Amino acid sequence: FMPRSVSQKTDELKRFHFTQNKMGSPFNLIFYYNDSIEASAIAKECFLIVDTLNNIFSDYTTASETGKLASQTQGTYKVSDELFEMILKSHEAWVSSDKTFDIAIGALTHLWRQAKSEKRFPSVDEIKKAKTSSGMDKVVIYLHKNKISFLKPGIIFDFGGIVKGYAAQKIIDHLKTKNITIALADA
């Protein structure tokens, strides 16, 4: 038995499903809301959040913050709050996974992407060279300063294993600010 006021409120909610290609794959957003025009506007806000995150974390473009960082050599660099937070979360995952989850493998990722586009396997020498520029053990994190440095040139971050879940959580957090409590963000 549902009290009348609760059942009426539930009946007013409608299911909305929005899909856009984001971060290299379909990004689905499903939530319940009572107004279709507002729901569309909220979905647009959510997809803008994903675009903003992509402009920080994508290693597919040199225009993103991660892409710009990849063009750097050894040195110390100040990074945005968002990127620093993700580096810290990724570092925690690297430690807790006994160093098997590693965002600093971008040199290897890029090598394999290039080889795939050329329809070949990378050579043993190419792999060895990429490995010298890979690994979180070659990244120094300066806590409370939003700074990092690379101990070797050619370090490239690849956030592919964590950023889609991070984006989905950011969307859910945003929907909560709109008093939407029934939602799914599928990245």
Side-chain angles (χ1 to χ4, degrees), residues 133-159:
S133 297
S134 296
M136 279 300 288
D137 58 330
K138 296 172 183 82
V139 178
V140 178
I141 301 170
Y142 300 94
L143 295 176
H144 312 296
K145 293 185 179 182
N146 282 35
K147 290 184 179 181
I148 60 167
S149 63
F150 301 131
L151 300 177
K152 295 273 187 180
I155 300 291
I156 302 170
F157 290 134
D158 178 349
F159 292 101

Side-chain angles (χ1 to χ4, degrees), residues 17 22 43-44 48 51 64 67 89 117 131 136 144 151 165:
H17 183 173
K22 299 289 179 191
K44 188 179 275 190
L48 284 173
D51 289 341
S64 72
K89 287 180 185 301
S117 74
K131 281 185 175 182
M136 279 300 288
H144 312 296
L151 300 177

Side-chain angles (χ1 to χ4, degrees), residues 16 44 60 68 74 80 100 120 126 144 147-148 155 162:
F16 293 93
K44 188 179 275 190
Y60 282 88
K68 289 175 185 169
Q74 290 171 270
S80 68
T100 57
R120 66 176 183 86
E126 289 174 311
H144 312 296
K147 290 184 179 181
I148 60 167
I155 300 291
I162 194 169

